[in-house]
Amino acid sequence: MKKILITGGTGYIGSHTAVELITENYKVHIVDNLSNSKIEVLSDIQKITGKKPCFDKIDLLNKKETDDFFKINNDFDAIIHFAAYKAVGESVAKPLMYYRNNLNSLMNILSNMQKYNISNFVFSSSCTVYGQPDMLPVTESSPIKKADSPYGNTKQIAEEIINDFLNANKQLKSISLRYFNPIGAHESAHIGELPIGMPNNLVPFITQTAAGIRKQLKIFGTDYNTSDGTAIRDYIHVVDLAQAHILAVRRLIKNENKNNSEFFNIGTGKGNSVLELVNTFEKVTGLKLNYILTKRRPGDIEKVWADTSLAYKELKWKAKRTLANALLSAWNREKIYRGIK
Ligand code: UFG
């Protein structure tokens, strides 16, 4: 049985990926510092899969803690590295926190990969590396422009660090998955996106507003050059996204990669505006959302959506689930979590 280490595995995408891996018969070991997730997620994963992953509470920023963990646990077939801060707006306000956390933790892991010769690395990258692309849909060969936020910059720098590291360690391999905007929840509603404190991302803010936890959703920016003036993103169902990780891990383990550092866009190929998303949420849930239109949020780009043909060609991966399905699953998870009938 292949053994996979998932950093940030109790978080949103990490937990969904853990479920998919366990379902595919991989042995999963999670490390997380629980800064934006709860330990109960492990039991939730067990409710879905029947298996509880191994878990260690590790702060990957702490080199000694990380090194001590790897001293005992180093027989992994692959590492999937999710652990990172991820909010664009917050990164504008707290840039050092983002650079320190997202980059030091990455380097602490890579040094242990080298030390213990763990060959395969899947990195949680982001479409944010493209900044505001000149051409849409954006392909993997689009120029990497100056990032619009410190968060985006951490993902650009992280990809460079990985490339330089792999150039120096030819026996190691990596796939960076450039996610577009992950939303939704597992169909069982046992896991989902449950940020601690005020949500930064759109969909948890929407579901918490619908649940009465937040008074009002603010729609940031109505003067973008789009059909309704609100910003456009490519919203991808988190379970589709999680499944892309399984294919990436399998490709690396089977040595099917074409070079030792690969990059794939993981999105639906379709852009939706913030207002379209709100309207779809209202339609599928039958609820009325309390929202207002406000000014732009610093660090946001206007529009982006993915060209996903490379992921299809190389990984045989394609998004299967719809926006409506994703929004309904997010709402179902919020309802169960809050005890709403
Ligand atoms: N938005 C609102 N109101 C809110 C929250 C968000 O109008 O309360 C808008 C944003 O301004 C943006 C859109 O909804 O136009 C999506 O915003 P999110 O915060 O949900 O997502 P981002 O596009 O800013 O960032 C997300 C992830 C990043 C990832 C990026 C890739 O947080 O990790 O998608 O596009 F890199």
Side-chain angles (χ1 to χ4, degrees):
M1 192 183 258
K2 301 289 182 198
K3 199 169 162 186
I4 315 296
L5 175 67
I6 308 187
T7 75
T10 50
Y12 176 42
I13 308 173
S15 57
H16 287 82
T17 303
V19 165
E20 296 304 313
L21 280 170
I22 296 169
T23 309
E24 292 285 327
N25 227 14
Y26 289 88
K27 189 166 166 46
V28 169
H29 194 135
I30 289 177
V31 292
D32 203 301
N33 66 359
L34 302 175
S35 68
N36 193 27
S37 61
K38 295 199 167 136
I39 191 76
E40 290 77 24
V41 168
L42 297 174
S43 319
D44 296 332
I45 292 173
Q46 188 175 17
K47 278 183 210 152
I48 302 171
T49 63
K51 287 186 193 144
K52 201 169 190 164
C54 299
F55 175 78
D56 281 278
K57 185 167 182 288
I58 299 281
D59 189 350
L60 297 166
L61 253 190
N62 185 323
K63 180 136 186 1
K64 181 171 181 325
E65 239 178 70
T66 309
D67 290 350
D68 287 348
F69 168 80
F70 277 100
K71 254 180 221 157
I72 305 168
N73 307 280
N74 51 45
D75 59 341
F76 300 112
D77 294 284
I79 299 176
I80 309 181
H81 180 45
F82 291 106
Y85 293 143
K86 56 164 191 165
V88 172
E90 184 183 53
S91 78
V92 175
K94 299 177 181 170
L96 294 185
M97 184 174 109
Y98 270 68
Y99 287 114
R100 191 175 294 124
N101 186 66
N102 290 6
L103 300 178
N104 286 351
S105 56
L106 169 68
M107 290 187 283
N108 288 342
I109 292 171
L110 293 180
S111 61
N112 279 291
M113 267 184 80
Q114 181 185 34
K115 184 165 180 187
Y116 297 105
N117 209 16
I118 303 167
S119 314
N120 302 314
F121 189 67
V122 176
F123 178 61
S124 232
S125 191
S126 165
C127 70
T128 195
V129 298
Y130 300 116
Q132 175 58 65
D134 294 329
M135 302 261 284
L136 289 167
V138 64
T139 67
E140 290 80 353
S141 50
S142 301
I144 302 290
K145 294 182 10 186
K146 184 174 164 23
D148 285 276
S149 68
Y151 163 75
N153 207 18
T154 67
K155 293 293 177 188
Q156 289 186 350
I157 298 170
E159 286 192 358
E160 286 176 11
I161 292 174
I162 295 167
N163 275 346
D164 290 346
F165 175 74
L166 294 180
N167 275 336
N169 295 279
K170 301 272 190 230
Q171 76 284 14
L172 307 181
K173 297 169 282 158
S174 137
I175 292 180
S176 292
L177 299 179
R178 292 177 175 160
Y179 312 154
F180 285 65
N181 284 50
I183 62 166
H186 192 265
E187 62 178 5
S188 66
H190 287 311
I191 53 172
E193 185 172 15
L194 290 170
I196 292 175
M198 181 79 91
N200 285 299
N201 296 115
L202 180 59
V203 170
F205 212 104
I206 288 177
T207 55
Q208 289 194 14
T209 305
I213 317 286
R214 309 284 156 201
K215 259 175 79 181
Q216 192 173 50
L217 168 75
K218 289 194 181 91
I219 294 185
F220 298 133
T222 54
D223 58 347
Y224 287 111
N225 183 22
T226 60
S227 58
D228 61 24
T230 64
I232 294 181
R233 298 286 183 276
D234 181 335
Y235 294 97
I236 165 91
H237 196 301
V238 67
V239 175
D240 281 334
L241 173 58
Q243 287 169 350
H245 294 78
I246 317 301
L247 298 171
V249 160
R250 191 175 296 155
R251 179 176 175 90
L252 289 172
I253 291 177
K254 289 185 165 176
N255 278 316
E256 286 170 352
N257 51 303
K258 300 231 162 104
N259 56 61
N260 74 336
S261 185
E262 295 185 313
F263 304 86
F264 297 107
N265 282 347
I266 304 295
T268 64
K270 188 173 179 308
N272 286 102
S273 74
V274 176
L275 269 175
E276 279 169 353
L277 195 120
V278 166
N279 293 338
T280 308
F281 181 84
E282 291 188 331
K283 198 166 154 209
V284 293
T285 60
L287 299 167
K288 201 88 209 95
L289 265 183
N290 179 20
Y291 66 85
I292 49 160
L293 305 174
T294 60
K295 61 180 184 355
R296 294 180 180 197
R297 183 175 68 175
D300 272 346
I301 59 163
E302 182 168 271
K303 50 187 161 195
V304 68
W305 60 93
D307 181 321
T308 59
S309 42
L310 191 65
Y312 185 62
K313 181 166 172 261
E314 296 295 335
L315 295 175
K316 299 284 168 292
W317 176 89
K318 188 159 113 195
K320 295 184 194 131
R321 296 163 177 81
T322 63
L323 180 70
N325 180 281
L327 291 170
L328 193 58
S329 67
W331 176 234
N332 286 339
R333 171 61 188 158
E334 189 78 47
K335 276 199 301 188
I336 293 222
Y337 187 70
R338 309 279 172 198
I340 297 169
K341 293 269 172 274

